[in-house]
C-alpha cells in the first residue's frame, strides 16, 4: 500500500531549552486513510502538523510526503511542495477578507502557475460540490462560519493535493456547521482523499477517523483503529 506520510524517528527541539516538542516519532499513513492526531496542549500535535505540511523542518529524522523527502528540498522547493502536494484547512479559516470567496479559493492555483481557465473551472466545480456556488462573489465577512470553512476546504483542494491537513476544522463552528464540515471530509475520504485531522475532540476522532494517533509529551502514546462499528456510540 502506498504510504502518503512516512515519519522516521522524527524529533523537533526548539531553541528555548525546553523539552523536545517531538521525540523520536515514527509513523506511516497509507493513502486513503483518515488519521486523527490527538493529545493535550503541548503534546506536539501542531509541531507534527507543521512538519508534515512542510512549514517547519525536523531537528532529526526524516519526513517523506507522497514520496518526497522534504529534507532534500530548499526553501523554494518547500514552497512549491506546499502549494501543490498539501492542502491545509485551518481552525479560523485564514481567508483574505478583501477577496471574494472564489478569489480566495483560486489563490493556491495562481501561486502554482495553473492556467487561469483551468483553475476557474476547478474552483467552480469545487464550490458547486461544496454547495457554496451561490456565495462565490461574497466576501468572508458576509458569510457564516460554516460557509467560510467550506471556502477554506475548496481552497485547500484546488490543486488536487495528495494530502489534506485539517487543523481543528470544527473548532470555530457551532455543532451543526461542524457536523456538516465533517460530513464533507467524510465524503472526500470516500472518494480517496488522504486526511490528517488534528483535533481535541475524542468523539469526533472516533466517529470520523480510520485511525487515532495520540501524542503525549512529544511521543506516540497510542495508535489504534478509529471509526466505531455501526451501532456503537462514541463516548
Amino acid at each position: 500500500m502506498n504510504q502518503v506520510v512516512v515519519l522516521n524517528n522524527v524529533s523537533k527541539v526548539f531553541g528555548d531549552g525546553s523539552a523536545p516538542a517531538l521525540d523520536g516519532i515514527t509513523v506511516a499513513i497509507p493513502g486513503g486513510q483518515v488519521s486523527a492526531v490527538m493529545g493535550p496542549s503541548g503534546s506536539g500535535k501542531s509541531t507534527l502538523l507543521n512538519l508534515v505540511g512542510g512549514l517547519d523542518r525536523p531537528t532529526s529524522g526524516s519526513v517523506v510526503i507522497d514520496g518526497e523527502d522534504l529534507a532534500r528540498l530548499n526553501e523554494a522547493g518547500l514552497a512549491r511542495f506546499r502549494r501543490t502536494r498539501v492542502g491545509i484547512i485551518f481552525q479560523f479559516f485564514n481567508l483574505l477578507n478583501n477577496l471574494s470567496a472564489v478569489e480566495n479559493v483560486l489563490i493556491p492555483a495562481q501561486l502554482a502557475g495553473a492556467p487561469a481557465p483551468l483553475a476557474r473551472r476547478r474552483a467552480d466545480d469545487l464550490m458547486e460540490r461544496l454547495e457554496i456556488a451561490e456565495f462565490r462573489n461574497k466576501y468572508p465577512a458576509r458569510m457564516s462560519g460554516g460557509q467560510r470553512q467550506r471556502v477554506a476546504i475548496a481552497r485547500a483542494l484546488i490543486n488536487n493535493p495528495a494530502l489534506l491537513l485539517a487543523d481543528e476544522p470544527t473548532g470555530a463552528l457551532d455543532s451543526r456547521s461542524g457536523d456538516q464540515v465533517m460530513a464533507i471530509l467524510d465524503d472526500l475520504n470516500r472518494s480517496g482523499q488522504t486526511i490528517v485531522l488534528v483535533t481535541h475532540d475524542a468523539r469526533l476522532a472516533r466517529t470520523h477517523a480510520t485511525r487515532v494517533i495520540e501524542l503525549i509529551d512529544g511521543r506516540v502514546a497510542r495508535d489504534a483503529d478509529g471509526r466505531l462499528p455501526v451501532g456503537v456510540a462514541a463516548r
Side-chain angles (χ1 to χ4, degrees):
M1 185 178 293
N2 177 44
Q3 303 291 341
V4 174
V5 176
V6 179
L7 306 180
N8 186 27
N9 199 27
V10 169
S11 294
K12 179 64 179 181
V13 180
F14 293 100
D16 57 5
S18 59
L22 292 178
D23 189 4
I25 295 283
T26 295
V27 169
I29 297 174
Q33 188 175 85
V34 181
S35 296
V37 179
M38 298 190 63
S41 179
S43 62
K45 302 188 302 296
S46 295
T47 301
L48 179 65
L49 197 75
N50 288 340
L51 295 180
V52 171
L55 297 168
D56 201 356
R57 295 181 184 271
T59 303
S60 60
S62 64
V63 178
V64 179
I65 308 299
D66 195 30
E68 187 83 68
D69 185 345
L70 301 193
R72 298 183 179 181
L73 301 179
N74 59 20
E75 292 307 311
L78 273 178
R80 286 192 298 272
F81 163 81
R82 290 192 296 267
R83 288 194 294 262
T84 59
R85 310 282 278 282
V86 175
I88 304 178
I89 304 168
F90 300 94
Q91 177 177 352
F92 296 107
F93 325 126
N94 284 22
L95 301 178
L96 296 179
N97 288 323
N98 62 329
L99 298 180
S100 68
V102 69
E103 288 169 338
N104 270 282
V105 171
L106 285 167
I107 290 171
Q110 293 167 340
L111 290 173
L118 182 64
R120 284 273 177 179
R121 285 196 299 273
R122 171 73 173 160
D124 288 343
D125 288 347
L126 284 168
M127 297 184 80
E128 188 72 37
R129 181 179 179 185
L130 296 173
E131 299 181 353
I132 50 172
E134 64 187 287
F135 307 117
R136 67 188 319 278
N137 294 318
K138 276 197 172 185
Y139 289 85
R142 295 184 173 274
M143 302 174 71
S144 70
Q147 291 163 357
R148 282 181 281 173
Q149 193 60 295
R150 289 174 188 237
V151 172
I153 292 171
R155 180 185 59 189
L157 294 171
I158 189 72
N159 288 332
N160 291 302
L163 178 64
L164 186 62
L165 304 178
D167 186 7
E168 299 281 5
T170 65
L173 304 176
D174 59 53
S175 58
R176 180 174 177 272
S177 296
D179 287 344
Q180 291 173 341
V181 165
M182 290 312 302
I184 290 168
L185 296 183
D186 286 344
D187 183 56
L188 290 168
N189 175 243
R190 281 191 289 270
S191 67
Q193 182 69 58
T194 306
I195 301 172
V196 173
L197 167 69
V198 170
T199 181
H200 69 280
D201 188 334
R203 179 185 175 279
L204 183 150
R206 291 197 297 267
T207 302
H208 297 279
T210 316
R211 174 183 179 188
V212 178
I213 301 168
E214 186 174 357
L215 301 182
I216 296 178
D217 295 333
R219 298 180 179 180
V220 176
R222 180 172 171 269
D223 189 345
D225 291 340
R227 286 186 180 131
L228 294 170
V230 174
V232 178
R235 294 182 181 178

